[in-house]
Amino acid sequence: MSENQRTRTRTAVESSEREEEDESEQLDCPECGGSLVMDNEHGETVCEDCGLVVDENEIDRGPEWRAFDASEKDEKSRVGAPTTNMMHDKGLSTNIDWRDKDAYGNSLGSRQRQKMQRLRKWNERFRTRDSKERNLKQALGEIDRMASALGLPENVRETASVIYRRALDEDLLPGRSIEGVATSSVYAAARQAGVPRSLDEITDVSRVEKSEIARTYRYVVRELGLEVKPADPESYVPRFASSLELSDEAEHRARQLLQNAKKQGVHSGKSPVGLAAAAVYAAALLTNEKTTQAAVSEVADISEVTIRNRYHELLEAEQDLPMA
């Protein structure tokens, strides 16, 4: 080892020793020799014994927000978007914006635009590099489109995406269309979440026939062992009453009619949508609110004949109910 190398080594050792000594001195109070503690709330270093403030205005490297429970902490932490089953890659890949602008909103030059176009193309190829991912991308896009058209909340879309992923993993798609299984997933998820949509409503926004949706739905529910309860007519009432602009009193009266029908067993074997539509129509008449069978028929997507038949059955069930 040369003389210069030995000198550099000796200097480095001495500097590290001085740093260790400085650190040890910082742990003790310069006034009384007591131990020092960090006050993170005020950004100060304080002596525990005499209260001397040794250092202040320290940099707080923690977050500027406060959280009072674990869920709130997860919502406020900025570590990227949360993973979601509504995207085929669960949202973990990079998205390249379609607008040819930089971070300041300025338009890109021609060479930069060409470069970004090539990056988008290769990014898309890598995101959907096998048939399963391409299948998922198409199906989840369909689920999102139908859920938006039906006004379903985000939790229903998430559940529908999980159902479709399970169907794909368990190899239920051969012999069935992607759109058919995606539509069945939305129908099942809506019923599980307690915000059901009728088969006719689902068919209106789907790209497959009603018979195929019903057949695929039964198959998916059976093979995946999904627990889907029969649709409750009462769950349709708020939506129908809101669309017809009826009062809260009329909505409450419709619920009473349906509850009485359940006690009498009138609801058994009847379409829940038809019962709900008839209850809403009957409640509107009983509360002296203006509506017609044609208006209810259009909102509920059910025939006027069905409304008339169920309407009489609901009123008869209430009359036959024994007085308390």
Side-chain angles (χ1 to χ4, degrees):
M1 182 182 293
S2 65
E3 186 64 29
N4 288 338
Q5 289 176 328
R6 281 197 294 272
T7 304
R8 283 198 296 270
T9 305
R10 192 183 309 113
T11 304
V13 170
E14 288 174 357
S15 63
S16 65
E17 288 176 352
R18 282 197 300 273
E19 287 175 1
E20 290 177 1
E21 289 175 2
D22 292 341
E23 288 178 1
S24 63
E25 288 176 2
Q26 289 174 358
L27 295 174
D28 298 330
C29 176
E31 191 71 29
C32 66
S35 58
L36 301 178
V37 293
M38 270 289 300
D39 184 356
N40 293 320
E41 186 176 350
H42 299 95
E44 298 173 343
T45 303
V46 186
C47 175
E48 277 188 319
D49 298 334
C50 67
L52 176 70
V53 178
V54 178
D55 193 12
E56 61 181 348
N57 296 328
E58 295 181 6
I59 297 173
D60 182 6
R61 302 186 185 279
E64 82 283 1
W65 43 263
R66 293 189 302 167
F68 301 98
D69 54 38
S71 62
E72 193 173 355
K73 182 178 180 182
D74 291 339
E75 288 175 4
K76 291 185 176 180
S77 61
R78 290 189 291 275
V79 291
T83 57
T84 172
N85 284 300
M86 293 186 289
M87 297 179 70
H88 72 281
D89 52 13
K90 297 193 175 181
L92 295 174
S93 61
T94 302
N95 289 319
I96 301 176
D97 196 6
W98 58 270
R99 292 168 293 189
D100 291 321
K101 293 185 178 181
D102 61 13
Y104 300 101
N106 301 321
S107 297
L108 300 177
S110 60
R111 294 187 65 182
Q112 282 294 98
R113 283 201 300 271
Q114 291 175 2
K115 180 180 178 181
M116 295 308 298
Q117 186 60 34
R118 286 197 302 272
L119 284 173
R120 287 193 200 99
K121 184 187 296 182
W122 281 105
N123 183 55
E124 192 63 25
R125 287 176 180 174
F126 279 117
R127 287 180 67 186
T128 55
R129 57 183 176 272
D130 59 33
S131 60
K132 183 177 178 180
E133 289 186 358
R134 287 193 293 273
N135 183 314
L136 263 180
K137 184 179 180 183
Q138 181 183 345
L140 298 181
E142 277 292 292
I143 287 172
D144 189 57
R145 180 188 64 80
M146 289 186 287
S148 297
L150 292 166
L152 295 172
E154 190 170 325
N155 65 309
V156 176
R157 305 181 193 197
E158 189 89 24
T159 304
S161 302
V162 172
I163 292 172
Y164 187 88
R165 285 176 183 274
R166 285 187 58 195
L168 185 62
D169 291 339
E170 298 192 21
D171 204 25
L172 302 184
L173 265 73
R176 289 164 186 83
S177 66
I178 293 174
E179 290 85 357
V181 179
T183 307
S184 302
S185 300
V186 172
Y187 184 46
R191 291 185 63 171
Q192 282 186 328
V195 285
R197 297 293 186 267
S198 69
L199 203 54
D200 290 323
E201 289 177 293
I202 294 284
T203 306
D204 288 342
V205 300
S206 178
R207 293 193 174 107
V208 292
E209 296 295 327
K210 181 177 179 180
S211 57
E212 183 183 344
I213 296 171
R215 186 171 62 252
T216 307
Y217 166 74
R218 288 193 296 268
Y219 176 73
V220 169
V221 168
R222 184 177 68 249
E223 293 298 318
L224 296 182
L226 301 178
E227 293 183 3
V228 182
K229 296 179 181 178
D232 187 353
E234 286 187 54
S235 60
Y236 293 94
V237 169
R239 187 156 52 89
F240 293 168
S242 176
S243 299
L244 292 165
E245 298 181 352
L246 299 178
S247 65
D248 292 341
E249 182 187 0
E251 183 180 333
H252 179 67
R253 192 72 180 85
R255 289 180 182 275
Q256 281 185 332
L257 286 169
L258 290 172
Q259 289 166 5
N260 294 336
K262 289 177 186 176
K263 291 177 183 176
Q264 294 290 88
V266 174
H267 71 296
S268 180
K270 307 290 195 308
S271 166
V273 181
L275 282 170
V280 169
Y281 174 67
L285 296 182
L286 292 171
T287 54
N288 297 318
E289 295 189 33
K290 290 184 179 180
T291 191
T292 62
Q293 290 181 6
V296 178
S297 172
E298 185 177 353
V299 166
D301 197 13
I302 209 87
S303 71
E304 294 182 37
V305 176
T306 303
I307 293 174
R308 281 195 293 273
N309 293 338
R310 300 294 170 266
Y311 158 74
H312 292 300
E313 291 172 2
L314 289 173
L315 293 180
E316 288 173 5
E318 187 170 47
Q319 290 171 1
D320 293 342
L321 199 68
M323 297 294 291

mmCIF file of all heavy atoms in Angstrom, residues 233-243 245-259 276 279-284 287 289:
data_model
loop_
_atom_site.group_PDB
_atom_site.id
_atom_site.type_symbol
_atom_site.label_atom_id
_atom_site.label_comp_id
_atom_site.label_asym_id
_atom_site.label_seq_id
_atom_site.Cartn_x
_atom_site.Cartn_y
_atom_site.Cartn_z
ATOM 1 N N PRO A 233 -89.416 -8.282 -4.410
ATOM 2 C CA PRO A 233 -90.165 -7.223 -5.115
ATOM 3 C C PRO A 233 -89.956 -5.842 -4.500
ATOM 4 O O PRO A 233 -89.954 -4.837 -5.208
ATOM 5 C CB PRO A 233 -91.624 -7.675 -4.994
ATOM 6 C CG PRO A 233 -91.564 -9.149 -4.750
ATOM 7 C CD PRO A 233 -90.295 -9.390 -3.996
ATOM 8 N N GLU A 234 -89.756 -5.792 -3.174
ATOM 9 C CA GLU A 234 -89.587 -4.494 -2.502
ATOM 10 C C GLU A 234 -88.337 -3.758 -2.974
ATOM 11 O O GLU A 234 -88.268 -2.533 -2.902
ATOM 12 C CB GLU A 234 -89.519 -4.687 -0.984
ATOM 13 C CG GLU A 234 -90.858 -5.013 -0.353
ATOM 14 C CD GLU A 234 -90.772 -5.026 1.168
ATOM 15 O OE1 GLU A 234 -90.314 -4.021 1.749
ATOM 16 O OE2 GLU A 234 -91.151 -6.048 1.779
ATOM 17 N N SER A 235 -87.316 -4.499 -3.433
ATOM 18 C CA SER A 235 -86.071 -3.850 -3.863
ATOM 19 C C SER A 235 -86.255 -3.044 -5.155
ATOM 20 O O SER A 235 -85.446 -2.173 -5.463
ATOM 21 C CB SER A 235 -84.968 -4.902 -4.049
ATOM 22 O OG SER A 235 -85.341 -5.848 -5.027
ATOM 23 N N TYR A 236 -87.319 -3.324 -5.909
ATOM 24 C CA TYR A 236 -87.591 -2.578 -7.145
ATOM 25 C C TYR A 236 -88.404 -1.306 -6.883
ATOM 26 O O TYR A 236 -88.432 -0.399 -7.720
ATOM 27 C CB TYR A 236 -88.367 -3.440 -8.141
ATOM 28 C CG TYR A 236 -87.620 -4.621 -8.694
ATOM 29 C CD1 TYR A 236 -87.734 -5.882 -8.115
ATOM 30 C CD2 TYR A 236 -86.791 -4.487 -9.804
ATOM 31 C CE1 TYR A 236 -87.045 -6.971 -8.630
ATOM 32 C CE2 TYR A 236 -86.105 -5.560 -10.328
ATOM 33 C CZ TYR A 236 -86.235 -6.810 -9.731
ATOM 34 O OH TYR A 236 -85.545 -7.888 -10.241
ATOM 35 N N VAL A 237 -89.089 -1.255 -5.748
ATOM 36 C CA VAL A 237 -90.035 -0.161 -5.481
ATOM 37 C C VAL A 237 -89.377 1.223 -5.496
ATOM 38 O O VAL A 237 -89.891 2.138 -6.152
ATOM 39 C CB VAL A 237 -90.780 -0.409 -4.148
ATOM 40 C CG1 VAL A 237 -91.566 0.831 -3.723
ATOM 41 C CG2 VAL A 237 -91.724 -1.594 -4.284
ATOM 42 N N PRO A 238 -88.258 1.441 -4.776
ATOM 43 C CA PRO A 238 -87.680 2.807 -4.769
ATOM 44 C C PRO A 238 -87.351 3.328 -6.160
ATOM 45 O O PRO A 238 -87.590 4.513 -6.458
ATOM 46 C CB PRO A 238 -86.411 2.645 -3.917
ATOM 47 C CG PRO A 238 -86.646 1.434 -3.076
ATOM 48 C CD PRO A 238 -87.484 0.537 -3.920
ATOM 49 N N ARG A 239 -86.826 2.469 -7.028
ATOM 50 C CA ARG A 239 -86.440 2.905 -8.361
ATOM 51 C C ARG A 239 -87.680 3.265 -9.188
ATOM 52 O O ARG A 239 -87.691 4.279 -9.885
ATOM 53 C CB ARG A 239 -85.636 1.793 -9.044
ATOM 54 C CG ARG A 239 -85.035 2.171 -10.370
ATOM 55 C CD ARG A 239 -83.840 1.288 -10.672
ATOM 56 N NE ARG A 239 -84.151 -0.113 -10.553
ATOM 57 C CZ ARG A 239 -84.609 -0.871 -11.546
ATOM 58 N NH1 ARG A 239 -84.805 -0.338 -12.732
ATOM 59 N NH2 ARG A 239 -84.854 -2.154 -11.373
ATOM 60 N N PHE A 240 -88.719 2.423 -9.110
ATOM 61 C CA PHE A 240 -89.934 2.703 -9.869
ATOM 62 C C PHE A 240 -90.602 3.985 -9.362
ATOM 63 O O PHE A 240 -91.040 4.833 -10.153
ATOM 64 C CB PHE A 240 -90.912 1.537 -9.764
ATOM 65 C CG PHE A 240 -90.448 0.275 -10.441
ATOM 66 C CD1 PHE A 240 -91.096 -0.937 -10.229
ATOM 67 C CD2 PHE A 240 -89.352 0.282 -11.285
ATOM 68 C CE1 PHE A 240 -90.674 -2.101 -10.859
ATOM 69 C CE2 PHE A 240 -88.916 -0.876 -11.909
ATOM 70 C CZ PHE A 240 -89.573 -2.073 -11.691
ATOM 71 N N ALA A 241 -90.682 4.127 -8.038
ATOM 72 C CA ALA A 241 -91.330 5.309 -7.452
ATOM 73 C C ALA A 241 -90.563 6.583 -7.810
ATOM 74 O O ALA A 241 -91.162 7.624 -8.084
ATOM 75 C CB ALA A 241 -91.421 5.156 -5.932
ATOM 76 N N SER A 242 -89.232 6.495 -7.826
ATOM 77 C CA SER A 242 -88.418 7.663 -8.177
ATOM 78 C C SER A 242 -88.611 8.046 -9.641
ATOM 79 O O SER A 242 -88.738 9.237 -9.977
ATOM 80 C CB SER A 242 -86.945 7.359 -7.901
ATOM 81 O OG SER A 242 -86.126 8.425 -8.314
ATOM 82 N N SER A 243 -88.659 7.058 -10.520
ATOM 83 C CA SER A 243 -88.841 7.344 -11.947
ATOM 84 C C SER A 243 -90.209 7.957 -12.220
ATOM 85 O O SER A 243 -90.357 8.779 -13.134
ATOM 86 C CB SER A 243 -88.683 6.057 -12.766
ATOM 87 O OG SER A 243 -87.397 5.505 -12.592
ATOM 88 N N GLU A 245 -91.787 9.786 -10.039
ATOM 89 C CA GLU A 245 -91.863 10.995 -9.211
ATOM 90 C C GLU A 245 -93.002 10.914 -8.198
ATOM 91 O O GLU A 245 -93.754 11.873 -7.996
ATOM 92 C CB GLU A 245 -92.006 12.245 -10.080
ATOM 93 C CG GLU A 245 -90.818 12.465 -11.014
ATOM 94 C CD GLU A 245 -90.956 13.721 -11.844
ATOM 95 O OE1 GLU A 245 -92.042 14.344 -11.808
ATOM 96 O OE2 GLU A 245 -89.983 14.083 -12.529
ATOM 97 N N LEU A 246 -93.116 9.759 -7.539
ATOM 98 C CA LEU A 246 -94.128 9.583 -6.501
ATOM 99 C C LEU A 246 -93.556 10.006 -5.147
ATOM 100 O O LEU A 246 -92.348 10.071 -4.957
ATOM 101 C CB LEU A 246 -94.585 8.124 -6.450
ATOM 102 C CG LEU A 246 -95.222 7.571 -7.724
ATOM 103 C CD1 LEU A 246 -95.590 6.104 -7.539
ATOM 104 C CD2 LEU A 246 -96.468 8.371 -8.108
ATOM 105 N N SER A 247 -94.441 10.253 -4.209
ATOM 106 C CA SER A 247 -94.029 10.717 -2.879
ATOM 107 C C SER A 247 -93.522 9.546 -2.027
ATOM 108 O O SER A 247 -93.707 8.369 -2.369
ATOM 109 C CB SER A 247 -95.205 11.389 -2.173
ATOM 110 O OG SER A 247 -96.232 10.424 -1.928
ATOM 111 N N ASP A 248 -92.909 9.901 -0.901
ATOM 112 C CA ASP A 248 -92.446 8.880 0.053
ATOM 113 C C ASP A 248 -93.624 8.100 0.625
ATOM 114 O O ASP A 248 -93.496 6.913 0.936
ATOM 115 C CB ASP A 248 -91.662 9.534 1.202
ATOM 116 C CG ASP A 248 -90.346 10.113 0.732
ATOM 117 O OD1 ASP A 248 -89.879 9.720 -0.350
ATOM 118 O OD2 ASP A 248 -89.779 10.963 1.443
ATOM 119 N N GLU A 249 -94.764 8.786 0.764
ATOM 120 C CA GLU A 249 -95.962 8.104 1.289
ATOM 121 C C GLU A 249 -96.399 6.989 0.348
ATOM 122 O O GLU A 249 -96.736 5.883 0.784
ATOM 123 C CB GLU A 249 -97.094 9.129 1.467
ATOM 124 C CG GLU A 249 -98.364 8.519 2.055
ATOM 125 C CD GLU A 249 -99.535 9.489 2.062
ATOM 126 O OE1 GLU A 249 -99.347 10.640 1.614
ATOM 127 O OE2 GLU A 249 -100.639 9.093 2.495
ATOM 128 N N ALA A 250 -96.393 7.266 -0.949
ATOM 129 C CA ALA A 250 -96.787 6.254 -1.933
ATOM 130 C C ALA A 250 -95.797 5.087 -1.934
ATOM 131 O O ALA A 250 -96.205 3.916 -2.027
ATOM 132 C CB ALA A 250 -96.864 6.875 -3.322
ATOM 133 N N GLU A 251 -94.506 5.396 -1.823
ATOM 134 C CA GLU A 251 -93.496 4.328 -1.782
ATOM 135 C C GLU A 251 -93.682 3.449 -0.549
ATOM 136 O O GLU A 251 -93.610 2.217 -0.629
ATOM 137 C CB GLU A 251 -92.097 4.958 -1.765
ATOM 138 C CG GLU A 251 -90.974 3.935 -1.788
ATOM 139 C CD GLU A 251 -89.603 4.597 -1.776
ATOM 140 O OE1 GLU A 251 -89.482 5.748 -2.240
ATOM 141 O OE2 GLU A 251 -88.651 3.957 -1.286
ATOM 142 N N HIS A 252 -93.966 4.089 0.598
ATOM 143 C CA HIS A 252 -94.199 3.330 1.837
ATOM 144 C C HIS A 252 -95.445 2.461 1.711
ATOM 145 O O HIS A 252 -95.456 1.300 2.149
ATOM 146 C CB HIS A 252 -94.349 4.311 2.999
ATOM 147 C CG HIS A 252 -94.620 3.642 4.315
ATOM 148 N ND1 HIS A 252 -93.696 2.839 4.958
ATOM 149 C CD2 HIS A 252 -95.740 3.636 5.102
ATOM 150 C CE1 HIS A 252 -94.213 2.375 6.084
ATOM 151 N NE2 HIS A 252 -95.458 2.839 6.187
ATOM 152 N N ARG A 253 -96.474 3.002 1.056
ATOM 153 C CA ARG A 253 -97.728 2.243 0.883
ATOM 154 C C ARG A 253 -97.494 1.045 -0.035
ATOM 155 O O ARG A 253 -98.071 -0.038 0.190
ATOM 156 C CB ARG A 253 -98.785 3.176 0.271
ATOM 157 C CG ARG A 253 -100.198 2.610 0.313
ATOM 158 C CD ARG A 253 -100.748 2.612 1.731
ATOM 159 N NE ARG A 253 -102.098 2.084 1.781
ATOM 160 C CZ ARG A 253 -102.409 0.781 1.874
ATOM 161 N NH1 ARG A 253 -101.432 -0.122 1.922
ATOM 162 N NH2 ARG A 253 -103.658 0.389 1.954
ATOM 163 N N ALA A 254 -96.671 1.208 -1.058
ATOM 164 C CA ALA A 254 -96.362 0.095 -1.962
ATOM 165 C C ALA A 254 -95.640 -1.022 -1.207
ATOM 166 O O ALA A 254 -95.909 -2.213 -1.431
ATOM 167 C CB ALA A 254 -95.505 0.596 -3.125
ATOM 168 N N ARG A 255 -94.734 -0.634 -0.327
ATOM 169 C CA ARG A 255 -94.029 -1.642 0.479
ATOM 170 C C ARG A 255 -95.001 -2.405 1.373
ATOM 171 O O ARG A 255 -94.893 -3.622 1.541
ATOM 172 C CB ARG A 255 -92.953 -0.971 1.334
ATOM 173 C CG ARG A 255 -91.755 -0.446 0.554
ATOM 174 C CD ARG A 255 -90.764 0.203 1.500
ATOM 175 N NE ARG A 255 -89.627 0.747 0.806
ATOM 176 C CZ ARG A 255 -88.545 0.047 0.460
ATOM 177 N NH1 ARG A 255 -88.478 -1.242 0.741
ATOM 178 N NH2 ARG A 255 -87.539 0.628 -0.172
ATOM 179 N N GLN A 256 -95.976 -1.680 1.945
ATOM 180 C CA GLN A 256 -96.979 -2.330 2.793
ATOM 181 C C GLN A 256 -97.789 -3.356 1.996
ATOM 182 O O GLN A 256 -98.058 -4.468 2.485
ATOM 183 C CB GLN A 256 -97.921 -1.278 3.385
ATOM 184 C CG GLN A 256 -97.359 -0.525 4.576
ATOM 185 C CD GLN A 256 -98.390 0.411 5.169
ATOM 186 O OE1 GLN A 256 -99.284 0.902 4.464
ATOM 187 N NE2 GLN A 256 -98.283 0.682 6.467
ATOM 188 N N LEU A 257 -98.171 -2.990 0.796
ATOM 189 C CA LEU A 257 -98.937 -3.908 -0.050
ATOM 190 C C LEU A 257 -98.145 -5.184 -0.333
ATOM 191 O O LEU A 257 -98.692 -6.296 -0.291
ATOM 192 C CB LEU A 257 -99.302 -3.217 -1.371
ATOM 193 C CG LEU A 257 -100.405 -2.158 -1.314
ATOM 194 C CD1 LEU A 257 -100.457 -1.377 -2.613
ATOM 195 C CD2 LEU A 257 -101.767 -2.810 -1.033
ATOM 196 N N LEU A 258 -96.870 -5.034 -0.614
ATOM 197 C CA LEU A 258 -96.029 -6.207 -0.908
ATOM 198 C C LEU A 258 -95.815 -7.059 0.334
ATOM 199 O O LEU A 258 -95.781 -8.294 0.251
ATOM 200 C CB LEU A 258 -94.691 -5.745 -1.481
ATOM 201 C CG LEU A 258 -94.754 -5.142 -2.889
ATOM 202 C CD1 LEU A 258 -93.420 -4.547 -3.284
ATOM 203 C CD2 LEU A 258 -95.163 -6.213 -3.908
ATOM 204 N N GLN A 259 -95.650 -6.418 1.497
ATOM 205 C CA GLN A 259 -95.474 -7.177 2.738
ATOM 206 C C GLN A 259 -96.738 -7.974 3.069
ATOM 207 O O GLN A 259 -96.665 -9.132 3.504
ATOM 208 C CB GLN A 259 -95.125 -6.222 3.885
ATOM 209 C CG GLN A 259 -93.721 -5.644 3.780
ATOM 210 C CD GLN A 259 -93.501 -4.465 4.707
ATOM 211 O OE1 GLN A 259 -94.376 -4.111 5.512
ATOM 212 N NE2 GLN A 259 -92.332 -3.847 4.604
ATOM 213 N N ALA A 276 -93.921 -5.629 -8.061
ATOM 214 C CA ALA A 276 -93.464 -4.303 -7.645
ATOM 215 C C ALA A 276 -94.168 -3.213 -8.454
ATOM 216 O O ALA A 276 -94.609 -2.197 -7.904
ATOM 217 C CB ALA A 276 -91.947 -4.197 -7.817
ATOM 218 N N ALA A 279 -97.744 -2.927 -7.275
ATOM 219 C CA ALA A 279 -97.803 -2.307 -5.943
ATOM 220 C C ALA A 279 -97.618 -0.798 -6.040
ATOM 221 O O ALA A 279 -98.300 -0.026 -5.355
ATOM 222 C CB ALA A 279 -96.732 -2.920 -5.043
ATOM 223 N N VAL A 280 -96.707 -0.372 -6.905
ATOM 224 C CA VAL A 280 -96.477 1.068 -7.088
ATOM 225 C C VAL A 280 -97.719 1.732 -7.682
ATOM 226 O O VAL A 280 -98.129 2.824 -7.248
ATOM 227 C CB VAL A 280 -95.238 1.298 -7.981
ATOM 228 C CG1 VAL A 280 -95.152 2.760 -8.408
ATOM 229 C CG2 VAL A 280 -93.972 0.894 -7.247
ATOM 230 N N TYR A 281 -98.326 1.086 -8.663
ATOM 231 C CA TYR A 281 -99.541 1.645 -9.284
ATOM 232 C C TYR A 281 -100.681 1.714 -8.267
ATOM 233 O O TYR A 281 -101.377 2.744 -8.155
ATOM 234 C CB TYR A 281 -99.943 0.792 -10.487
ATOM 235 C CG TYR A 281 -101.249 1.202 -11.112
ATOM 236 C CD1 TYR A 281 -101.362 2.432 -11.764
ATOM 237 C CD2 TYR A 281 -102.365 0.370 -11.062
ATOM 238 C CE1 TYR A 281 -102.567 2.829 -12.338
ATOM 239 C CE2 TYR A 281 -103.571 0.755 -11.633
ATOM 240 C CZ TYR A 281 -103.659 1.979 -12.268
ATOM 241 O OH TYR A 281 -104.859 2.380 -12.830
ATOM 242 N N ALA A 282 -100.877 0.629 -7.509
ATOM 243 C CA ALA A 282 -101.946 0.604 -6.504
ATOM 244 C C ALA A 282 -101.702 1.653 -5.420
ATOM 245 O O ALA A 282 -102.633 2.344 -4.993
ATOM 246 C CB ALA A 282 -102.028 -0.788 -5.880
ATOM 247 N N ALA A 283 -100.443 1.799 -4.990
ATOM 248 C CA ALA A 283 -100.109 2.768 -3.947
ATOM 249 C C ALA A 283 -100.362 4.192 -4.428
ATOM 250 O O ALA A 283 -100.832 5.048 -3.664
ATOM 251 C CB ALA A 283 -98.649 2.597 -3.531
ATOM 252 N N ALA A 284 -100.076 4.455 -5.705
ATOM 253 C CA ALA A 284 -100.311 5.794 -6.250
ATOM 254 C C ALA A 284 -101.806 6.121 -6.231
ATOM 255 O O ALA A 284 -102.209 7.249 -5.900
ATOM 256 C CB ALA A 284 -99.770 5.881 -7.669
ATOM 257 N N THR A 287 -103.032 6.750 -2.584
ATOM 258 C CA THR A 287 -102.563 8.016 -1.992
ATOM 259 C C THR A 287 -102.959 9.221 -2.847
ATOM 260 O O THR A 287 -102.427 10.323 -2.647
ATOM 261 C CB THR A 287 -101.025 7.993 -1.814
ATOM 262 O OG1 THR A 287 -100.407 7.675 -3.072
ATOM 263 C CG2 THR A 287 -100.620 6.974 -0.770
ATOM 264 N N GLU A 289 -102.377 10.030 -6.007
ATOM 265 C CA GLU A 289 -101.322 10.622 -6.834
ATOM 266 C C GLU A 289 -101.538 10.197 -8.277
ATOM 267 O O GLU A 289 -101.943 9.069 -8.563
ATOM 268 C CB GLU A 289 -99.939 10.179 -6.336
ATOM 269 C CG GLU A 289 -99.643 10.696 -4.939
ATOM 270 C CD GLU A 289 -98.204 10.450 -4.517
ATOM 271 O OE1 GLU A 289 -97.324 10.478 -5.400
ATOM 272 O OE2 GLU A 289 -97.980 10.226 -3.316
#
